[in-house]
Amino acid sequence: MAHSLSFAWLRVALALIGPMSGWGAASLLAQSPSGAASLPPHHALALEVFRELIETDTTLKTGSTKAVMAIAARLKAAGFTDAELTIDGPRPQNQNLIVRLRGKGLQRPVLFIGHLDVVEAFRADWTMDPFTLIEKDGYFYGRGTTDMKNADTALIVSLIRMKQAGYMPRGDIIVALTDHEEGGEANGMAWLVKNRRELIDAEYCINPDGGGGKMKLGKPMLMQIQTAEKAYLTFQLEVTNKGGHGSVPVKDNAIYRLAAGLNRLAAYDFPIQLNETTRTFFARSALQETGQTKADMLAVAQTPSDLAAAERLAAQSASYNAMLRTTCVATMLSGGHAANALPQMARAVLNGRVLPGDSPEAMTETLKTVLADDQIKITRLETTVVSPISPLRPDLFAKVEQLTTAMWPGVPVTPIMSTGATDGKYLRSVGIPVYGVSGTFINSGDMRAHGRDERLGVQEFYRSVDFMHELIKMLTQ
């Protein structure tokens, strides 16, 4: 049953967790990397908050409530009232924090979202403790440094700075810091949309978990605004038969039948499809390219698209391929029950990513056609949210371009369609446009989110904090 946590409960919880949490200012300053004392005040605050978040385990097994409580305490100390802070969620260990900075009522609220939970990380897999913030060789290391406690930090620090400065936006600023984004629909934005829509209703949403900057060898190249994302689907394929003794094989083998179907799927490409976002992406990305790649990007951006150029781009880059078409790939395989017996069962799991405008039902029908074997049973293992493309708002894009030019001169801004998934889909599905905007720049080929030794450049971190603060003001003043 959904429930809210009172601030009386918050104070008790903080008293209980405080001695072992490491959230105290004195201990944080003592652990700060060298040079922290010379940072500007808002960067020193950002470093404290960043460390707090990284060193608080918010994996699925633990939940995000401990982090929520500490953030709420910081915001209260900065001047936010109980009426401006809401803590709610489906379970005590899985709470979300919604903060509202009241405005003048001259425009509808703008929502900013971020998730506090992180993917599990094991010490044995890393070259360092994943839940200790470590500064080394110009990088911050730790689980969540890029996904996405860096952006959570930027939002928290911006709220504190604006409250302390007495900033009064044209309309309310809402910041929702959520739990369980990495774990699906059990909590987070999916839960808030269903159970507490009134807390997050807004004209549009900025989601720092999408978009962001792209670097090559440390040089900023492209600022991306996520306006769309593919829908996530999981299918199970299964073949069964009577089996038998391994010494007397027959042609009707469950493993062979399934493998033949998978080979047909491997050879199949879903058709090329472009939309407003991906056409603009390739047109803007061409500004950073030369030769055949530039020519192909410009040709793909035309209406109608040059399909031969699209296929060359798809063959050149798995990322481009995933932006140009719906995909479905085998990710797990199992079968048989004994080394000396014919298999009675063979199974495979497929991961599908559906373009906006396609549907799960259409993918199911395509799989039936491509597998071409009615003895391969196809089961969809989960429902999914298929969200529309957010319109390309000229006012928003102009402000992001203005800020990007000021901070990174010459870097073009482009919309992008995410081939992964974020909580933005739940908001888009109920009519709240979402724009993935982040000032975080990461080198191509060095995306370590969900992986070992996750890291973010030190200077990139501080610049992203500055970017988000300025962006919030530009959108709300």
Side-chain angles (χ1 to χ4, degrees), residues 220-241:
M221 301 295 292
L222 197 65
M223 173 64 82
Q224 302 170 130
I225 302 178
Q226 187 226 61
T227 59
E229 59 187 84
K230 297 173 100 172
Y232 180 105
L233 289 172
T234 304
F235 293 91
Q236 178 181 276
L237 306 183
E238 184 178 72
V239 177
T240 59
N241 65 26

Side-chain angles (χ1 to χ4, degrees), residues 3-10 65 68-69 85-89 91-93 95:
H3 61 284
S4 293
L5 296 185
S6 70
F7 276 94
W9 193 84
L10 164 60
T65 298
V68 163
M69 295 305 183
L85 305 174
T86 301
I87 298 175
D88 202 357
R91 292 170 298 277
Q93 74 273 24
Q95 296 292 295

Side-chain angles (χ1 to χ4, degrees), residues 4 44 49 83 104 128-129 131 134 143 191 198 221 223 232 234 239 262 272 289 300 377 382 385 466 475:
S4 293
V49 174
K104 301 174 184 177
M128 62 201 73
D129 181 357
F131 296 104
I134 295 174
R143 173 58 87 221
W191 188 90
E198 77 282 0
M221 301 295 292
M223 173 64 82
Y232 180 105
T234 304
V239 177
L262 290 174
I272 296 286
E289 299 293 347
V300 164
K377 180 182 177 182
E382 60 189 359
V385 174
D466 294 340
L475 297 178

